[in-house]
Amino acid sequence: MSTATSFDVYQVPEEHEAIREAVRAVCDAKVAPNAAEADETGEFPKASYEALRAADFHAPHIPVEYGGAGADALATAIVIEEVARACASSSLIPAVNKLGTMPLLLAGSEELKRRYLTAVAAGEAMFSYCLSEPEAGSDAASMSTRAERDGDHYVLNGAKRWITNAGVSEYYTVFAVTDPAARSRGISAFVVEKSDPGVSFGAPEKKLGIKGSPTREVYFDNVRIPADRMIGEPGTGFATAMRTLDHTRVTIAAQAVGIAQGALDFAKGYVQERQQFGKAVAEFQGIQFLLADMGMKLEAARQLTYAAAGKSERGDVDLTYFGAAAKCFASDAAMEITTDAVQLLGGYGYTKDFPVERMMRDAKITQIYEGTNQVQRIVMARQLLKG
Ligand SMILES: Cc1cc2nc3c(=O)[nH]c(=O)nc-3n(C[C@H](O)[C@H](O)[C@H](O)COP(=O)(O)OP(=O)(O)OC[C@H]3O[C@@H](n4cnc5c(N)ncnc54)[C@H](O)[C@@H]3O)c2cc1C
């Protein structure tokens, strides 16, 4: 006999569906109209940021005690999914605000949280996450950025690469080596401000997709910061970086689901309009089978993502596995679904007259960042083989 609880596992709560409706309304009206231009010009979509900020969707995960909306992990995933459905670049506003601040939420002192999270919640500042380096990508622990203690300060030197929203963000979580002999246990995390003397940025990368989200190098040239800007204890930075990714891979999965939903929605409308051989192409079974596969993969990706969001919220022990699985599965699904959406539009899909080619280019990054999908498979296999 079934109980109500066993059904609830598979039911998104009503208040979360209400959040989806609210985000969709804002995005349809004020984010989607800027998406093609952000892609074309490669400029940060300020109008979209303002719209998200006005509705409190720019950093929904920040707890109420720091002035935030206090959205749980599922609600945050739904916000990111819905923004990505309209504009993948803009979805990196709530996603990277969560990525940048998660180390603080997991390991920061009360004083640091109060100082920095309130500004992000108020929409006065964005927060980026600086882990990758030119020579340290998948092998992030081999980083060479140094932080050396000097009295009650640390002095940072080095370069981070591929930093999302660099230059636009006021604040940066920076991972740096404080004890080279200790390898990954000699890495510490710090909050660095854009205005700290010695911080500078490289030119924006010219990318395949998410062109409205600036990606730049960040340089640290004798950046002197107070020692109390360290997040957590010395040597715990790498563990904090990895714990952060366990939670935020769920948000990349949500981004992938949103991009795929946008492509499926557009393609579904198109095939019902487009006439060939005297009828709508949606009447051909070959097209119907393609649509069915797209919908099926999308829903499987969404369910896995929401299950992982539940684990993130509860802090379940198998979050590492589920975060990696959701990110990997959803991003692979998004790549397939967006590619099929281009196919459904035929030659028109291959042009900038329609949004699906942008969605296909945007989907590709979800297979690469926050750990490539090869790295996600390493993470999953390690979890499976452990113990
Ligand atoms: C647009 C964009 C935004 C980004 N934003 C951020 C950000 O905000 N903050 C941040 O810190 N980083 C960011 N990144 C960096 C991103 O996380 C890295 O690019 C990614 O982790 C891969 O590192 P890499 O590019 O050096 O590739 P490499 O590590 O050089 O990998 C090259 C290839 O080898 C494969 N590979 C590597 N090791 C293994 C292995 N052991 N087994 C099997 N295959 C392997 C990889 O999967 C990949 O296919 C961003 C990247 C991009 C492109």
Side-chain angles (χ1 to χ4, degrees), residues 13-92:
E14 261 173 42
E15 65 263 31
H16 289 75
E17 287 302 350
I19 291 170
R20 181 195 304 286
E21 266 176 47
V23 188
R24 190 171 287 197
V26 169
C27 290
D28 283 351
K30 296 183 178 158
V31 173
N34 312 321
E37 192 186 332
D39 179 60
E40 194 61 40
T41 60
E43 280 174 21
F44 179 72
K46 272 206 182 106
S48 300
Y49 179 65
E50 290 307 331
L52 295 176
R53 183 165 76 158
D56 225 357
F57 295 138
H58 61 292
H61 70 288
I62 303 229
V64 175
E65 61 259 46
Y66 306 110
D72 62 29
L74 178 59
T76 302
I78 289 173
V79 170
I80 291 165
E81 175 188 337
E82 286 300 322
V83 181
R85 178 177 168 272
C87 172
S89 291
S90 301
S91 71
L92 285 161

Side-chain angles (χ1 to χ4, degrees), residues 237-365:
F238 193 71
T240 302
M242 295 302 112
R243 278 166 66 210
T244 293
L245 295 176
D246 284 346
H247 290 277
T248 58
R249 282 172 181 156
V250 179
T251 67
I252 299 305
Q255 181 189 37
V257 167
I259 296 169
Q261 184 70 62
L264 176 59
D265 288 349
F266 192 88
K268 209 167 60 180
Y270 184 90
V271 293
Q272 291 175 86
E273 292 291 320
R274 175 68 175 169
Q275 301 268 328
Q276 289 294 287
F277 301 98
K279 49 177 146 171
V281 294
E283 290 182 38
F284 298 115
Q285 200 176 48
I287 295 290
Q288 292 173 1
F289 280 9
L290 202 53
L291 274 173
D293 281 349
M294 291 160 78
M296 174 179 68
K297 288 175 196 164
L298 177 55
E299 202 46 44
R302 178 177 285 115
Q303 295 296 325
L304 183 54
T305 301
Y306 291 1
K311 288 178 184 292
S312 164
E313 186 59 29
R314 293 187 299 268
D316 288 356
V317 286
D318 53 1
L319 171 62
T320 299
Y321 178 84
F322 270 79
K327 188 272 192 194
C328 187
F329 188 87
S331 59
D332 284 352
M335 200 63 240
E336 290 170 18
I337 292 163
T338 54
T339 305
D340 287 345
V342 170
Q343 192 69 20
L344 286 176
L345 269 71
Y348 295 97
Y350 201 64
T351 70
K352 284 183 188 277
D353 296 342
F354 295 92
V356 288
E357 63 82 34
R358 182 187 82 237
M359 293 163 173
M360 179 178 142
R361 288 184 285 106
D362 287 345
K364 184 64 200 170
I365 192 59

Side-chain angles (χ1 to χ4, degrees), residues 129 131-132 137-138 162-164 207 365 369-370 372 374 378:
Y129 175 91
L131 179 67
S132 307
S138 301
W162 312 116
I163 305 309
T164 300
K207 308 191 297 291
I365 192 59
Y369 57 18
E370 296 210 16
T372 64
Q374 284 74 33
I378 295 171

